[in-house]
Amino acid sequence: MNKTNTSLSKGILSYSISTWVNFFLGFLSTFILTRILAPEVLGSVNLYSSSVTSLLSIVCFGLDSSYLRFYHSPPQGDIKSYLRNSILFCSIVVVIFGGVVFSIDPLWFSEYFLGIKSSLLSVSIFVAVLDQVILRFLNFTYRMRMDSKKYNVQNILINVTLRFGVIGGVIVNKSAKTAIVSTTVLLTLLAIIYVFLQKNEFISKQTGCSFNLAGYKNVFKFGLFGAPANIVLHFYPLSSQILIKNIIGVGAVGVYSSASIFSAILSTVLGGFTTFWSAYIYAYHTTQKEKIINAHDSVIYFLIVIFAGMIGCRDIIYLLIGSEYQASKYFFSLILLYPILQIAGETTKYGIQLSNKTYIITIIAIVSLFSNIMIGYLMSIRIGLLGIAFGNSFAGLISFLLATIIGQHYYKSISNPRRLIFGCINLCAIAIFGVVIKDTVTTIISMIVCIIIGSIIYRKTVWELLAKISLFLEVRKRKHSKYRIK
């Protein structure tokens, strides 16, 4: 294995530790919450989480993306002031935004986003957004200086706080208000702790805590061009939840979210993969093109296996879900298709970024969001939550196809387009089978067939994988035989 291979695998592994820990934390929290919370309560809690994430993408104005881009060449030549100015600017925006809301009607704000009239919950949302601003930039600092250990620890602590803050709150009182306030308080404590732990990252003897944005024109320009796509992307899950709340009810949001929790878990896997893969693509898109093409085939094949495996094990997975949430089992596959296609898109769309045509990403994101809202609305009137799930999966497919077609025009990372087409058909078939097939045995058989077909489509990838496994076993055999007592 060459040096690049080693660095690639080590890089992905080192930045994916928190992803897999959060994966298991997601399963654990799902098991607990769907057993102790009514759907109405869990619905409001998930609306809170989605609202905070969506508002975070707005108040950052794309400066979080800019921070990564200009980290190694900061404006004013000082990384400490760059971090401090970024946090302070976004924090000021949060305060102004919150002030406007409270001067108009905080009760309407909380009712629209959470389904509950409460000024305290409106305060909780904005405080949580402020906490997330601080933690996001501090976490990016660990990431950019390649401190994977502290990066992973911080990510895990944030996830623990968000998930188990809810559990701690409902132990006292099984209400959405208590759960949300409890989570916000714990998140604030975590943000304060990390401000003290990382204070040397943004405070210097020369500049102290001064706030000066002179020379930030390029930073704002870069951020504003990429911000719309990021905002639309983060509003995607919230749009579905608000549709459900207004058309069916807050309780239905809880039922829908019980399936979306697994979608969120897959999204964390996407985050772990993207964290390293994006940097790798930018660095090696000209020198390691064959490796990037092979990675695309491997990712699609593993997605087929993982997706089919999750649907085949659907009944086992749903042992984690409380009895009031079991209705989501039969649109579970449609909810999962969206993050599955997002992960697949990471290996096909980077031609858009490499050609500096970020406005195309924004257009695709808007088309996807519009499709999700319109299809979800029209179909939910007739078939309820299943219609929302169909809108979600269809919009994800549109987004993937548009990003792939345009991305490949600027940078080809697919060696055989027909293979990808058959791979996508296989993924869509898995999603549809998960809806139309109710019987457990038939579901398992159909998923096995999908995996076999996927193995035929990506047989080169399968043979390469088997060869690597064989080589690994041979090396281990030789290592053991070296120390064997004769």
Side-chain angles (χ1 to χ4, degrees):
M1 185 180 288
N2 62 36
K3 185 176 180 180
T4 306
N5 282 334
T6 305
S7 62
L8 173 59
S9 57
K10 281 186 177 180
I12 292 175
L13 180 62
S14 64
Y15 281 92
S16 297
I17 294 172
S18 59
T19 294
W20 294 109
V21 172
N22 291 337
F23 181 89
F24 290 110
L25 287 174
F27 271 103
L28 180 60
S29 64
T30 301
F31 176 79
I32 297 171
L33 291 175
T34 56
R35 278 168 167 73
I36 63 176
L37 293 183
E40 293 79 10
V41 176
L42 186 59
S44 292
V45 168
N46 280 297
L47 281 164
Y48 160 79
S49 178
S50 298
S51 300
V52 170
T53 302
S54 299
L55 290 173
L56 177 65
S57 67
I58 294 176
V59 301
C60 281
F61 273 96
L63 291 186
D64 46 352
S65 299
S66 296
Y67 184 70
L68 300 179
R69 167 64 179 82
F70 294 98
Y71 180 86
H72 294 294
S73 55
Q76 305 173 359
D78 181 13
I79 188 60
K80 290 187 177 183
S81 64
Y82 185 29
L83 173 60
R84 182 175 64 252
N85 289 337
S86 298
I87 293 175
L88 287 174
F89 178 83
C90 295
S91 298
I92 291 169
V93 174
V94 174
V95 173
I96 293 173
F97 196 173
V100 171
V101 168
F102 274 83
S103 66
I104 298 174
D105 189 353
L107 295 179
W108 173 87
F109 184 83
S110 66
E111 184 181 28
Y112 181 79
F113 284 101
L114 307 181
I116 304 172
K117 283 186 176 182
S118 171
S119 296
L120 180 59
L121 291 185
S122 293
V123 171
S124 296
I125 289 174
F126 283 103
V127 171
V129 172
L130 183 60
D131 296 334
Q132 290 282 34
V133 164
I134 295 168
L135 291 169
R136 186 168 181 78
F137 281 100
L138 294 180
N139 189 247
F140 278 173
T141 301
Y142 283 146
R143 170 181 166 183
M144 292 308 293
R145 74 176 193 214
M146 306 303 286
D147 193 337
S148 60
K149 181 179 178 181
K150 290 181 180 178
Y151 170 84
N152 283 311
V153 169
Q154 192 177 58
N155 262 337
I156 293 168
L157 287 175
I158 293 170
N159 198 271
V160 167
T161 301
L162 291 172
R163 293 187 181 280
F164 293 96
V166 175
I167 296 172
V170 298
I171 289 174
V172 179
N173 179 10
K174 292 183 181 180
S175 70
K177 190 172 183 178
T178 306
I180 290 169
V181 172
S182 170
T183 303
T184 304
V185 169
L186 290 178
L187 192 63
T188 302
L189 289 174
L190 184 65
I192 292 171
I193 289 170
Y194 267 100
V195 165
F196 280 100
L197 288 176
Q198 293 182 255
K199 63 179 183 293
N200 292 331
E201 305 273 5
F202 55 86
I203 298 176
S204 63
K205 293 180 180 179
Q206 291 77 20
T207 59
C209 291
S210 61
F211 179 56
N212 180 9
L213 294 177
Y216 274 70
K217 180 180 177 181
N218 289 334
V219 172
F220 280 104
K221 185 178 179 181
F222 183 91
L224 288 174
F225 273 111
N230 195 39
I231 292 170
V232 172
L233 180 66
H234 285 96
F235 261 92
Y236 192 93
L238 181 61
S239 66
S240 295
Q241 292 175 359
I242 290 179
L243 266 180
I244 296 168
K245 178 181 76 68
N246 291 331
I247 296 173
I248 306 173
V250 178
V253 176
V255 175
Y256 185 85
S257 298
S258 66
S260 296
I261 287 170
F262 297 103
S263 174
I265 291 170
L266 278 175
S267 294
T268 63
V269 175
L270 168 65
F273 175 68
T274 305
T275 296
F276 188 82
W277 184 248
S278 58
Y280 186 85
I281 284 282
Y282 289 134
Y284 299 110
H285 65 276
T286 56
T287 59
Q288 298 292 329
K289 191 166 185 177
E290 184 179 353
K291 183 177 294 299
I292 290 169
I293 290 172
N294 290 336
H296 160 75
D297 287 343
S298 299
V299 167
I300 301 299
Y301 175 69
F302 281 116
L303 286 175
I304 291 171
V305 174
I306 292 169
F307 193 20
M310 291 185 74
I311 304 306
C313 298
R314 179 176 60 188
D315 289 336
I316 297 173
I317 291 172
Y318 265 77
L319 292 174
L320 294 169
I321 303 295
S323 57
E324 293 182 89
Y325 299 84
Q326 292 292 316
S328 65
K329 181 191 295 185
Y330 300 110
F331 55 79
F332 173 60
S333 58
L334 294 175
I335 300 296
L336 291 185
L337 184 61
Y338 180 79
I340 288 286
L341 290 174
Q342 275 193 308
I343 297 172
E346 285 298 308
T347 65
T348 64
K349 69 179 185 180
Y350 270 95
I352 299 173
Q353 288 93 326
L354 292 171
S355 62
N356 295 320
K357 299 185 182 297
T358 52
Y359 67 89
I360 295 177
I361 298 175
T362 301
I363 294 171
I364 292 172
I366 292 172
V367 170
S368 177
L369 179 64
F370 181 77
S371 302
N372 181 43
I373 294 172
M374 291 304 299
I375 296 171
Y377 174 75
L378 293 173
M379 295 189 72
S380 65
I381 295 173
R382 292 179 174 272
I383 54 177
L385 287 178
L386 183 59
I388 299 288
F390 266 116
N392 182 80
S393 59
F394 188 75
L397 182 60
I398 290 175
S399 175
F400 171 73
L401 292 175
L402 288 175
T404 297
I405 292 169
I406 298 171
Q408 291 302 298
H409 174 73
Y410 294 107
Y411 180 81
K412 296 193 180 299
S413 60
I414 302 172
S415 60
N416 190 331
R418 284 187 299 177
R419 186 158 56 226
L420 175 61
I421 291 171
F422 287 125
C424 287
I425 291 172
N426 201 351
L427 287 171
C428 292
I430 293 170
I432 293 171
F433 289 156
V435 175
V436 299
I437 301 175
K438 312 297 186 198
D439 178 66
T440 302
V441 175
T442 308
T443 299
I444 292 172
I445 292 172
S446 64
M447 293 303 106
I448 291 172
V449 170
C450 287
I451 291 174
I452 292 171
I453 292 172
S455 299
I456 294 171
I457 296 171
Y458 291 96
R459 53 189 176 275
K460 181 182 175 182
T461 300
V462 174
W463 284 117
E464 288 176 353
L465 177 62
L466 292 174
K468 288 178 181 179
I469 293 172
S470 177
L471 179 61
F472 174 75
L473 294 175
E474 182 65 26
V475 170
R476 285 187 62 86
K477 183 179 178 181
R478 289 178 183 176
K479 186 180 291 186
H480 284 296
S481 63
K482 179 180 179 182
Y483 298 103
R484 189 177 298 160
I485 299 175
K486 297 182 178 179

